[in-house]
Amino acid sequence: MITGKYPNLRLRRTRKFSWSRKLVQENKLSSNDLIYPIFVIEGTNKKKPIRSMPGVYRYTIDQLGMIIDKVLKNKIPMIALFPSTPKSKKDKSGKEALNENNLVCRAIRFIKQRFKNNIGIMCDVALDPYTIHGHDGLLKDSYVLNDETIEILIKQSLLQAQMGCDVIAPSDMMDGRIGKIRKSLDKNAYQDVQILSYAVKYASNFYGPFRDAIGSKKSLKGDKKNYQMDFANCNEALREVELDIKEGADMVMVKPGMPYLDIIKNVKENFKIPVLAFQVSGEYSLIMNGIKSRLINEESILESLMCFKRAGASAIVSYFALDLAKKLKI
Ligand code: PBG
């Protein structure tokens, strides 16, 4: 559908000046599109660096107020909490996930008491921060058991909702968990707690630095291919999304981000549901190290996030969220 031809038509005309480029810009990224992940550790008054993620830290709960003040000031609507559980509290079944005084539960209570509903809190539902083998569920002969794992995830979700979590985000990839979690939340009068399903989560090589951050990297036995998706597949992603919508998901996540833009677009075109993207730890570290070694400049951060808006994402989880929001000022 070309409406003219050279030389009358010159697409460079609207590109000539900055004011004109602003007028014809098709997509915009604002702080309101961002979700900021925060890693939490035990102790007090600590901010610990993560070796493989330059510029990202793990914070003790008493430090969260200070960070969330910044998050709010920069108009980011939601944070995602990830616990870095001490090894002494991990076991084969991940039972620390159900301890109402675990790191995540204490962090939710602290934040909700201080910030009420001025900030959204999203929490992962999966057992990997709590299992000694680093898998997202119960392991039997190297296989993650589906239905047995769901029984624990239902309890984990309910506990997080009771603590005040706003958005329950199952990232475990068990079949059928969304429906069961929704049912249990509703039965317990948490019908307004949202479910963001990590519906499309690939068995990706880009999660390495995250596993380092939550301390599951060294202990992870094998890979996650018997539950996370094969990165060669697209139709299967659509099936996953369709099932989760039917089971009651309010929003769906595609993860990782940049290598899966086609999937975000495909999901968005097929289902009129909010689709979120997760720019994962490996993507963050590659870009950050590229900037640090001057291979690329800092503007690449905005470019790496704008692509999600082009693809149709409603919001993006990114470790760059806070730094970028400070610059965007919108
Ligand atoms: C685990 C989980 C992972 C991430 C978020 N939740 C890693 C995994 O599946 O091993 C990755 C996030 C990132 O890499 O930034 N349930």
Side-chain angles (χ1 to χ4, degrees):
M1 215 249 300
I2 298 269
T3 50
K5 75 176 201 225
Y6 174 84
N8 330 39
L9 179 67
R10 291 175 184 266
L11 295 183
R12 287 184 58 194
R13 259 181 224 128
T14 52
R15 282 181 217 148
K16 189 162 182 181
F17 299 111
S18 155
W19 58 262
S20 174
R21 291 193 290 272
K22 282 178 193 151
L23 292 174
V24 299
Q25 188 169 71
E26 294 175 41
N27 290 284
K28 301 208 171 9
L29 185 77
S30 104
S31 305
N32 290 335
D33 300 318
L34 301 172
I35 298 166
Y36 188 51
I38 302 178
F39 294 108
V40 194
I41 44 167
E42 291 285 358
T44 46
N45 199 21
K46 271 196 214 113
K47 173 183 174 185
K48 271 196 175 165
I50 300 158
R51 204 181 32 82
S52 50
M53 299 178 78
V56 179
Y57 297 85
R58 284 170 286 204
Y59 299 92
T60 50
I61 292 176
D62 58 310
Q63 304 289 299
L64 296 179
M66 178 233 354
I67 304 162
I68 295 168
D69 278 336
K70 288 187 198 152
V71 167
L72 282 173
K73 194 169 149 236
N74 290 288
K75 303 190 170 52
I76 294 174
M78 182 159 81
I79 54 158
L81 293 176
F82 295 103
S84 177
T85 312
K87 208 170 167 201
S88 61
K89 293 192 175 163
K90 296 185 182 186
D91 64 8
K92 274 202 312 215
S93 66
K95 67 171 181 306
E96 176 68 4
L98 306 182
N99 172 3
E100 65 171 23
N101 284 316
N102 70 20
L103 266 172
V104 160
C105 290
R106 274 182 286 137
I108 302 173
R109 291 201 298 264
F110 174 84
I111 298 166
K112 276 294 152 182
Q113 198 176 33
R114 185 127 157 202
F115 297 96
K116 310 285 184 292
N117 286 327
N118 295 318
I119 185 101
I121 304 181
M122 151 186 166
C123 291
D124 256 35
V125 171
L127 300 182
D128 58 312
Y130 310 104
T131 53
I132 203 81
H133 44 68
H135 281 287
D136 293 28
L138 298 174
L139 208 55
K140 192 179 176 201
D141 306 328
S142 315
Y143 186 75
V144 171
L145 298 170
N146 196 85
D147 300 7
E148 292 81 350
T149 296
I150 293 182
E151 291 311 312
I152 306 177
L153 301 182
I154 292 171
K155 292 185 187 146
Q156 185 185 19
S157 306
L158 187 57
L159 178 61
Q160 290 177 352
Q162 284 163 343
M163 296 295 122
C165 175
D166 302 290
V167 177
I168 298 288
S171 67
D172 55 288
M173 289 300 279
M174 297 303 112
D175 283 326
R177 86 280 204 218
I178 299 299
K180 292 199 169 184
I181 290 172
R182 183 73 272 164
K183 203 168 151 199
S184 133
L185 290 174
D186 289 359
K187 202 174 84 194
N188 288 282
Y190 292 104
Q191 63 275 8
D192 291 333
V193 169
Q194 302 179 36
I195 296 183
L196 160 57
S197 173
Y198 285 79
V200 188
K201 183 169 178 182
Y202 286 93
S204 171
N205 300 294
F206 287 85
Y207 304 144
F210 174 94
R211 292 177 187 166
D212 196 17
I214 67 160
S216 70
K217 193 174 188 173
K218 275 190 225 124
S219 47
L220 182 63
K221 298 225 163 39
D223 55 43
K224 299 193 176 183
K225 290 181 183 168
N226 71 48
Y227 47 110
Q228 299 179 348
M229 272 182 56
D230 180 345
F231 58 67
N233 294 355
C234 176
N235 289 337
E236 192 183 346
L238 299 180
R239 298 176 80 194
E240 285 284 2
V241 169
E242 183 159 4
L243 285 169
D244 286 358
I245 294 174
K246 285 193 178 134
E247 289 178 31
D250 301 288
M251 305 177 274
V252 292
M253 179 90 84
V254 173
K255 182 182 170 186
M258 206 136 62
Y260 298 92
L261 292 171
D262 59 320
I263 307 296
I264 297 173
K265 198 166 164 77
N266 236 302
V267 170
K268 192 67 202 181
E269 277 170 2
N270 280 282
F271 305 99
K272 302 303 164 199
I273 186 168
V275 181
L276 276 63
F278 201 134
Q279 184 182 51
V280 301
S281 56
E283 298 174 67
Y284 169 85
S285 297
L286 282 173
I287 295 169
M288 200 56 177
N289 283 321
I291 293 169
K292 278 171 72 100
S293 53
R294 296 173 191 262
L295 288 169
I296 50 176
N297 64 31
E298 272 194 11
E299 301 300 316
S300 57
I301 297 174
L302 178 60
E303 187 180 339
S304 78
L305 291 166
M306 191 65 87
C307 65
F308 299 118
K309 298 294 292 186
R310 276 199 326 271
S314 304
I316 307 138
V317 184
S318 169
Y319 301 97
F320 287 118
L322 187 53
D323 281 343
L324 186 69
K326 286 180 191 163
K327 286 205 195 110
L328 285 175
K329 295 198 175 74
I330 43 166

